[in-house]
């Protein structure tokens, strides 16, 4: 492009950055990102989110945290997708307490959680057999009129089949299950 006298814009660089990350070329993506930074290009929240997600995928938790922490110094506010990436990455690393703190911080920063946020953190708690915490989040999610997703339900069923009948887990399942025509859950 540049050889033809056309300078790529931020959106074009963002697409290249995303492609590099998705193909596992994280060091090249980071070099491109730093070059964009040096050249004063508009580095928006989408570009930071691309790198945050890529670092989590290659198990570079500290790099993801550092990028996320530096957003405010760049006058950028994380959006719901950025928070969801961070929460998912923290849950995958087993850092549920930190994920829950970020979940709370998200709401305090006026970025409302969506169904993806809830399903992600609930899946994290269920995956670590922290059913009571998952149940509290399911209650909150239902109050906000979000619905659970099938992968969370499958995790619950898997835990039930291997760990026995946890009463708290039964309550979580009831929240995910649709009611029949008599207002009863099939699990009762």
């Amino acid at each position: 492009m540049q050889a033809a006298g056309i300078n790529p814009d931020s959106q074009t660089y963002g697409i290249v950055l995303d492609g590099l990350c998705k193909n596992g070329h994280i060091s090249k993506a980071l070099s491109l990102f730093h070059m964009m930074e040096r050249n004063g290009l508009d580095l928006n929240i989408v570009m930071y989110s691309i790198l945050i997600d890529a670092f989590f995928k290659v198990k570079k938790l500290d790099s993801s945290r550092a990028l996320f922490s530096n957003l405010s110094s760049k006058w950028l506010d994380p959006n719901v997708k950025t928070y969801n990436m961070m929460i998912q990455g923290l849950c995958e690393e087993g850092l549920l307490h930190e994920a829950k703190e970020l979940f709370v911080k998200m709401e305090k920063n006026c970025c409302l959680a969506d169904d993806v946020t809830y399903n992600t953190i609930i899946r994290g708690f269920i995956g670590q057999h922290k059913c009571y915490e998952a149940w509290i989040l399911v209650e909150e999610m239902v109050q906000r009129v979000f619905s659970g997703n099938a992968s969370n339900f499958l995790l619950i069923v898997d835990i039930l089949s291997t760990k026995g009948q946890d009463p708290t887990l039964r309550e979580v399942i009831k929240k995910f299950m649709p009611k029949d025509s008599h207002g009863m859950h099939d699990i009762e």
Side-chain angles (χ1 to χ4, degrees):
M1 282 182 81
Q2 289 175 325
I6 301 170
N7 287 324
D9 61 6
S10 292
Q11 186 175 3
T12 304
Y13 277 118
I15 292 168
V16 173
L17 186 70
D18 189 47
L20 288 170
C21 288
K22 285 183 177 171
N23 288 296
H25 303 289
I26 307 302
S27 60
K28 288 180 182 179
L30 193 56
S31 294
L32 176 63
F33 184 81
H34 289 310
M35 184 275 303
M36 293 165 61
E37 208 170 32
R38 282 190 309 276
N39 291 339
L41 289 170
D42 179 30
L43 296 175
N44 59 33
I45 193 63
V46 173
M47 291 181 198
Y48 277 90
S49 297
I50 289 168
L51 281 177
I52 287 168
D53 190 45
F55 282 134
F56 269 122
K57 287 183 174 147
V58 295
K59 306 293 184 199
K60 292 190 175 191
L61 177 65
D62 291 337
S63 297
S64 290
R65 280 184 180 141
L67 276 174
F68 187 81
S69 295
N70 288 329
L71 290 176
S72 61
S73 69
K74 305 291 182 183
W75 301 98
L76 293 171
D77 293 320
N79 60 25
V80 69
K81 287 182 102 176
T82 310
Y83 277 110
N84 288 346
M85 288 173 185
M86 285 295 296
I87 290 169
Q88 180 178 349
L90 293 168
C91 286
E92 287 174 0
E93 293 294 321
L95 302 169
L96 299 176
H97 180 74
E98 192 174 337
K100 178 67 178 187
E101 284 179 354
L102 189 58
F103 178 81
V104 171
K105 181 181 178 184
M106 172 184 185
E107 299 262 318
K108 285 182 182 175
N109 290 339
C110 299
C111 184
L112 299 177
D114 62 8
D115 59 330
V116 174
T117 316
Y118 276 98
N119 281 298
T120 299
I121 197 161
I122 289 167
R123 186 172 43 255
F125 279 111
I126 292 170
Q128 294 292 317
H129 304 284
K130 298 192 179 292
C131 298
Y132 181 74
E133 291 88 342
W135 181 75
I136 290 170
L137 289 165
V138 168
E139 286 283 316
E140 189 177 308
M141 182 176 73
V142 169
Q143 287 175 358
R144 291 185 174 197
V145 195
F146 292 127
S147 59
N149 68 21
S151 66
N152 286 351
F153 183 73
L154 291 174
L155 272 174
I156 293 167
V157 171
D158 184 51
I159 292 169
L160 274 178
S161 65
T162 59
K163 298 292 182 188
Q165 296 287 329
D166 180 344
T168 305
L169 198 51
R170 289 178 59 81
E171 293 302 314
V172 172
I173 291 172
K174 286 180 190 177
K175 293 293 180 183
F176 277 94
M177 300 268 312
K179 294 181 181 179
D180 64 17
S181 60
H182 304 291
M184 303 293 290
H185 295 282
D186 289 334
I187 195 168
E188 296 177 309

